[in-house]
């Protein structure tokens, strides 16, 4: 019984630790982010739903963390134009990030009925 109790205590402490040490990203306003996505023409290359297009990568449900996102948008590596803090403030980047997080990720082929039919069973 004693060991069970202390095991439970360890589990509780561990989950508290994860909650405290994990997500510390500042809150963003996804609604404002959506407007910025349109105003700043992100959609032009990345698609209206962030799905990606001929020119830009898929950025819906973006896998980057907030820091990496900010770094990338400020100093992109490839063909993307840089958005300096004269164009987008840090808060606006946070809002954009929050918006991208609300967009659904791509479905797996097995979740699309027609593609699922084509799979070998
Ligand atoms: C002129 C086209 C264009 C515009 C406008 C544009 N991007 Fe991009 N973006 C790209 C391209 C192309 C890439 C792929 C890598 C590269 O070439 O820079 C990219 C990559 C990214 C990435 C990295 C994706 C990853 O998974 O590594 C992020 C994040 C991103 N864009 C966000 C934005 C945001 C936010 C905006 C609007 C403020 C924006 N982009 C506007 C073309 C564009």
């Amino acid at each position: 019984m004693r060991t069970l109790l202390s095991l439970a205590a360890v589990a509780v402490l561990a989950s508290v630790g994860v909650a405290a040490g994990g997500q510390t990203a500042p809150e963003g306003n996804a609604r404002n982010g959506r407007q910025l996505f349109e105003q700043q023409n992100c959609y032009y290359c990345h698609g209206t739903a962030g799905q990606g297009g001929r020119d830009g990568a898929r950025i819906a449900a973006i896998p980057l963390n907030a820091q990496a996102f900010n770094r990338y948008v400020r100093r992109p590596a490839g063909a993307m134009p840089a958005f300096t803090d004269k164009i987008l403030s840090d808060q606006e980047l946070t809002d954009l990030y929050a918006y991208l997080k609300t967009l659904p990720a791509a479905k797996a082929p097995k979740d699309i009925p027609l593609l699922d039919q084509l799979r070998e069973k």
Side-chain angles (χ1 to χ4, degrees), residues 41-42 45-46 55-56 59 62 69 72-73 78-81 83 88:
N41 296 329
C42 311
C45 298
H46 291 286
D55 295 317
I59 52 174
I62 189 150
F69 171 79
Y72 191 90
V73 175
M80 178 167 145
F83 291 82
L88 284 171

Side-chain angles (χ1 to χ4, degrees), residues 6-89:
S6 47
L7 271 180
V10 168
V12 167
L13 283 178
S15 56
V16 168
V18 168
Q23 286 295 327
T24 52
E27 291 290 311
N29 179 337
R31 184 188 290 242
N32 190 38
R34 180 192 183 137
Q35 277 179 352
L36 291 166
F37 192 79
E38 288 163 12
Q39 281 164 9
Q40 297 295 332
N41 296 329
C42 311
Y43 76 93
Y44 186 82
C45 298
H46 291 286
T48 48
Q51 76 272 27
R54 198 193 59 157
D55 295 317
R58 158 178 283 276
I59 52 174
I62 189 150
L64 300 176
N65 67 27
Q67 239 185 346
F69 171 79
N70 286 15
R71 215 179 307 129
Y72 191 90
V73 175
R74 294 261 188 253
R75 292 160 154 257
M80 178 167 145
F83 291 82
T84 63
D85 54 7
K86 291 203 177 74
I87 303 171
L88 284 171
S89 69

